[in-house]
Amino acid sequence: MRLIKVKNYEDMSQKVAEMMMEKIRESNKINLGLATGGTPKGTYKKLVEAYEKKTISFQHVTTFNLDEYVGLAPNDPNSYHYYMNESLFDHVDIQTSNTYIPNGIAEDLKEECVQYDHLIKISGGIDLQILGIGQNGHIGFNEPGTSFESGTHIVKLDESTINANARYFNRLHDVPTHAVTMGIQSILQSKEIILMVSGEEKSNALQRLLNGEVTEDFPASALKNHPNVYIIADEKALSSVFVS
Ligand code: GLP
């Protein structure tokens, strides 16, 4: 894992957008793995700004999102479908048919999971995966205890994740209890991974990731088994971290 230190959220967003654009520009066809949550919002904003300045095109880009809440329809403002349309897809020239997000209202959710992994595989795999991290070390919605061998699957969300994500919902009660998420193995199959970490509330997780052991109790630690991971972290996220 290579750590890149940046000053703040703005700089992290700029840096990651630049890294993504470099990859997009140097390829004729690219599969991006995308994340949601507060962390990548600024990066998507930078990508939209670059598109508006005509310095980037998404016509040859295919995207696979990490996860979706079970039970939320794509037009639900709290769904990750809605988030992606609003934050990125509606504002750039990506072809809608090239954007994939797990379907949280699929009739057969288990089959949806199998098909999602299959789709990623037949599309040639993910070239660059963007990740955020939960305070408990989750990546995607892979909660502590998730097998490192896992493919896309249905998860019951930890109470701490429900509480942390409640800030995006009107009421705590509205936060779904389950989600569909790409598994740890699905994530590790990406050729390159960028983990974004910003803010003091993530500093303990970052400390554990950088200095702790590899264990299924801390899902992000699986990234240590991947040869090509960049961590872009800001000063607040690094505030509990001892780095030389
Ligand atoms: C959410 C998402 C993750 C995200 C993480 C952190 O539950 N499923 O993909 O990385 O938690 O979210 P945030 O960036 O809002 O802190």
Side-chain angles (χ1 to χ4, degrees):
M1 297 193 302
R2 275 159 284 186
L3 176 65
I4 299 177
K5 300 175 197 172
V6 291
K7 193 162 177 44
N8 51 30
Y9 180 81
E10 171 75 14
D11 288 2
M12 177 190 73
S13 304
Q14 184 64 40
K15 177 71 187 161
V16 176
E18 278 166 14
M19 291 171 82
M20 291 175 78
M21 288 194 285
E22 199 181 316
K23 285 264 161 199
I24 292 170
R25 287 193 192 107
E26 73 189 18
S27 64
N28 301 323
K29 182 188 173 305
I30 184 166
N31 294 335
L32 296 179
L34 299 180
T36 48
T39 307
K41 267 239 157 178
T43 300
Y44 297 145
K45 193 161 169 260
K46 300 281 178 200
L47 293 176
V48 171
E49 284 168 10
Y51 171 73
E52 284 168 352
K53 287 185 197 141
K54 300 199 188 321
T55 58
I56 191 82
S57 167
F58 294 83
Q59 293 221 6
H60 61 299
V61 175
T62 298
T63 61
F64 294 92
N65 264 79
L66 279 170
D67 46 17
E68 178 59 287
Y69 288 111
V70 167
L72 297 194
N75 62 357
D76 186 307
N78 283 121
S79 73
Y80 286 162
H81 276 79
Y82 192 96
Y83 169 108
M84 287 310 305
N85 289 335
E86 202 195 24
S87 311
L88 183 65
F89 300 155
D90 283 353
H91 310 289
V92 298
D93 62 347
I94 196 162
Q95 295 176 47
T96 308
S97 56
N98 288 344
T99 63
Y100 298 100
I101 304 177
N103 178 6
I105 53 166
E107 238 169 72
D108 186 341
L109 282 170
K110 277 196 177 156
E111 182 58 20
E112 170 69 15
C113 295
V114 172
Q115 287 307 324
Y116 201 69
D117 278 332
H118 180 65
L119 195 61
I120 294 173
K121 199 170 168 197
I122 59 170
S123 305
I126 291 174
D127 297 297
L128 175 63
Q129 174 70 54
I130 305 304
L131 293 177
I133 186 170
Q135 290 175 32
N136 63 1
H138 74 233
I139 49 175
F141 267 131
N142 293 285
E143 300 285 23
T146 306
S147 164
F148 284 176
E149 310 290 309
S150 53
T152 299
H153 61 289
I154 304 156
V155 286
K156 183 173 182 331
L157 300 177
D158 268 14
E159 209 167 308
S160 64
T161 300
I162 292 177
N163 288 330
N165 288 0
R167 65 190 192 278
Y168 300 118
F169 290 78
N170 288 334
R171 296 175 309 164
L172 178 64
H173 184 73
D174 293 340
V175 187
T177 54
H178 291 74
V180 176
T181 183
M182 274 166 59
I184 300 286
Q185 194 179 69
S186 335
I187 293 170
L188 291 186
Q189 278 165 354
S190 312
K191 296 181 188 81
E192 186 174 329
I193 297 173
I194 297 177
L195 174 70
M196 308 171 72
V197 197
S198 171
E200 218 170 316
E201 63 279 10
K202 300 291 173 64
S203 62
N204 288 335
L206 183 57
Q207 150 70 13
R208 187 165 174 190
L209 173 62
L210 292 174
N211 298 322
E213 58 177 16
V214 176
T215 165
E216 289 181 352
D217 289 339
F218 191 72
S221 66
L223 298 174
K224 292 186 171 187
N225 293 336
H226 190 284
N228 209 3
V229 176
Y230 291 90
I231 301 174
I232 320 298
D234 70 8
E235 284 176 3
K236 285 189 175 156
L238 285 159
S239 58
S240 310
V241 177
F242 175 75
V243 275
S244 49

